[in-house]
Amino acid sequence: MAEKTLNPFEIAQQQIKTACDKLGAEPEVYELLKEPMRVLEVSLPVRMDDGSIKVFKGFRSQHNDAPGPTKGGIRFHPAVSRDEVKALSTWMTFKCGVIGLPYGGGKGGIIVDPNELSEGELERLSRAYARAIAPIIGDRKDIPAPDVNTNGQIMAWMVDEYSKLQGYNVPGVFTGKPVNFGGSLARTEATGYGVAIMVREAAKKLGLNLADLKVAVQGFGNVGSYAAMYMEEMGAKVIGVSDSSACVINENGLNVKELMEYVKQNRHVKGFPGAEKEVNRDEVLTLDVDVLLPCALENQITSKNANDIKAKIISEGANGPTTPEADEILYNKGVLVIPDILANSGGVTVSYFEWVQNLMNYYWSFEEVQEKQERLMVKAFNEIYELMEENKVDMRTAAYMMSIKRIAEAMKLRGWY
């Protein structure tokens, strides 16, 4: 069957409906979860370097605050739309619910190509956005973070602007800040580390020895590179890595740290001297491996290539890399797919730790942060795995069921239905 290209918000609503039906949840639960509780649209006038004024459009969506304040990134991208931020804020609610974080989901964005702005224009735009959304955010209300095309520097400008409006320093209103400005150690590694931990836990359940496993990684940015590095440290053999330039292969195992160094210098994996051969980047998905880590973009594993996938375990570092049609094929083939809302939740988990540290004004060591992240993610993995076996569903549906159950309980205790 052909893939349906749906609006992302319609996909999110469909996933909620499926999980609510499987849970036998009251109809009110779906009614309360199918739309965000608040979406703010703002106009951002910015003085450009040539003296002219340009007005940008921005959004902030807050999906559900029954479990606690809303949380989620801010992206700067030409394709940002109202429906996209609504969908992403909805997914954030479930990502927080899967791990059991005391958050609902939020998401924001500005329609802009940041590459077309000077640093001064970027700073003025960032500050304008922080001012515009200030009435609905706060370290007890809604805590934004970096996302596509935003970073620690942008968060630092936004914290500064928000703090000026309050008249005192509020470091906990944004997370993903630089470490010397209230950020958390182990945040950079967090998402990739989580992706690798999930593979380790899945291997235990399937009775596989990590030292015998071959791994392929699609995408070698922050998530893919750290996921590969931790897989290697855990004893697995990373034999294939791709990015937009090529897929590099070494059947005896690539040296991941050397590859990371090479990419830092050359900006791509193509030409890495530690590879035995190079193939087309798309071939990474169908290599003869035990573990596949899709850490690039959405809609990579589709009905076209799902039958050719040889991996027994897929741990999703990217958001939405597998289409619903491919999910069905993989489930019928007996492939264990650890869904994005669990596999890549390490980032929001350590963002939560950053927020806690900001509120206490007391900071933990790198090891402490990783140990706390591991404990939360392993607990979530085991709970969802159990729910999956109990209900004879795939792990993605089980993750949504677990999350919706938790959010529904919070809404019920608050008397929302």
Side-chain angles (χ1 to χ4, degrees):
M1 59 184 154
E3 247 84 15
K4 293 187 209 60
T5 4
L6 280 176
N7 157 317
F9 186 53
E10 286 169 13
I11 293 175
Q13 289 181 321
Q14 207 178 58
Q15 289 165 332
I16 301 167
K17 186 83 180 83
T18 306
C20 283
D21 291 348
K22 282 266 193 296
L23 273 173
E26 289 97 326
E28 293 91 335
V29 174
Y30 176 66
E31 282 302 312
L32 287 163
L33 292 176
K34 74 175 186 185
E35 286 284 344
M37 59 178 196
R38 183 182 294 117
V39 183
L40 179 66
E41 185 174 314
V42 292
S43 293
L44 308 167
V46 174
R47 171 89 55 197
M48 306 306 278
D49 290 348
D50 64 5
S52 66
I53 295 273
K54 192 169 173 190
V55 179
F56 296 87
K57 184 172 278 188
F59 305 93
R60 184 73 187 167
S61 173
Q62 296 169 340
H63 176 252
N64 186 294
D65 65 357
T70 49
K71 176 99 194 76
I74 297 165
R75 54 179 55 183
F76 287 4
H77 196 276
V80 164
S81 69
R82 192 184 183 92
D83 273 357
E84 184 191 48
V85 296
K86 282 167 71 172
L88 292 164
S89 69
T90 306
W91 282 323
M92 278 305 297
T93 295
F94 302 119
K95 192 177 282 192
C96 295
V98 156
I99 297 289
L101 302 178
Y103 285 144
K107 207 75 180 192
I110 300 174
I111 303 171
V112 62
D113 181 352
N115 300 316
E116 292 174 359
L117 303 183
S118 69
E119 192 176 3
E121 290 167 342
L122 188 62
E123 178 177 350
R124 294 192 287 278
L125 177 65
S126 303
R127 289 178 180 275
Y129 181 74
R131 282 196 304 278
I133 65 168
I136 67 164
I137 65 168
D139 60 5
R140 300 291 202 283
K141 275 201 277 193
D142 179 17
I143 304 106
D147 197 77
V148 177
N149 292 331
T150 54
N151 55 26
Q153 175 59 72
I154 289 171
M155 296 306 109
W157 288 327
M158 290 187 181
V159 167
D160 184 61
E161 197 61 31
Y162 182 86
S163 298
K164 279 182 191 168
L165 292 172
Q166 305 310 312
Y168 57 92
N169 198 17
V170 192
V173 63
F174 292 85
T175 59
K177 302 180 294 293
V179 170
N180 55 7
F181 189 67
S184 178
L185 292 165
R187 173 65 188 89
T188 310
E189 297 80 359
T191 310
Y193 182 52
V195 169
I197 289 171
M198 295 296 92
V199 173
R200 186 193 71 195
E201 295 307 302
K204 281 182 200 168
K205 295 282 186 200
L206 301 178
L208 302 169
N209 181 356
L210 275 179
D212 302 332
L213 300 186
K214 289 180 173 180
V215 182
V217 186
Q218 183 198 33
F220 205 64
N222 171 275
V223 180
S225 59
Y226 281 111
M229 183 187 96
Y230 285 113
M231 286 276 43
E232 186 179 67
E233 282 183 11
M234 290 172 189
K237 201 180 276 180
V238 179
I239 68 148
V241 168
S242 78
D243 65 6
S244 59
S245 68
C247 170
V248 292
I249 295 172
N250 187 329
E251 288 298 334
N252 298 312
L254 294 156
N255 183 317
V256 176
K257 285 196 173 135
E258 279 178 15
L259 181 57
M260 285 168 89
E261 208 40 58
Y262 177 82
V263 171
K264 209 179 278 178
Q265 306 299 323
N266 300 277
R267 307 187 69 145
H268 53 68
V269 301
K270 196 175 175 55
F272 175 57
E276 288 174 340
K277 62 173 176 178
E278 273 181 24
V279 294
N280 182 300
R281 65 183 192 192
D282 298 328
E283 289 182 41
V284 72
L285 297 170
T286 54
L287 291 177
D288 190 2
V289 292
D290 308 288
V291 177
L292 175 61
L293 309 180
C295 301
L297 295 166
E298 62 275 359
N299 301 333
Q300 296 299 299
I301 301 171
T302 66
S303 55
K304 287 188 181 71
N305 58 15
N307 278 311
D308 301 325
I309 285 176
K310 298 170 189 73
K312 303 179 190 78
I313 300 169
I314 295 176
S315 185
E316 296 183 336
N319 286 318
T322 312
T323 67
E325 290 82 0
D327 254 339
E328 206 173 310
I329 294 167
L330 294 168
Y331 182 65
N332 292 331
K333 279 178 66 170
V335 179
L336 179 64
V337 179
I338 306 160
D340 47 7
I341 62 170
L342 172 61
N344 71 29
S345 62
V348 70
T349 301
V350 177
S351 269
Y352 164 64
F353 296 151
E354 179 180 333
W355 176 71
V356 170
Q357 292 170 85
N358 292 157
L359 293 182
M360 295 191 301
N361 211 1
Y362 174 73
Y363 293 83
W364 302 324
S365 69
F366 184 93
E367 292 72 23
E368 259 180 296
V369 174
Q370 281 208 331
E371 185 259 326
K372 285 176 163 66
Q373 176 189 346
E374 182 176 356
R375 202 175 335 143
L376 273 186
M377 288 190 75
V378 169
K379 179 174 180 283
F381 178 90
N382 289 327
E383 288 169 346
I384 290 161
Y385 196 87
E386 206 175 296
L387 194 64
M388 171 185 87
E389 290 194 312
E390 229 172 81
N391 290 277
K392 298 186 172 41
V393 290
D394 62 6
M395 206 164 181
R396 190 181 315 279
T397 306
Y400 273 94
M401 287 166 73
M402 170 68 71
S403 195
I404 286 172
K405 212 157 85 175
R406 287 181 169 148
I407 297 153
E409 277 168 21
M411 294 193 300
K412 192 157 196 120
L413 288 166
R414 283 174 175 261
W416 289 11
Y417 73 97

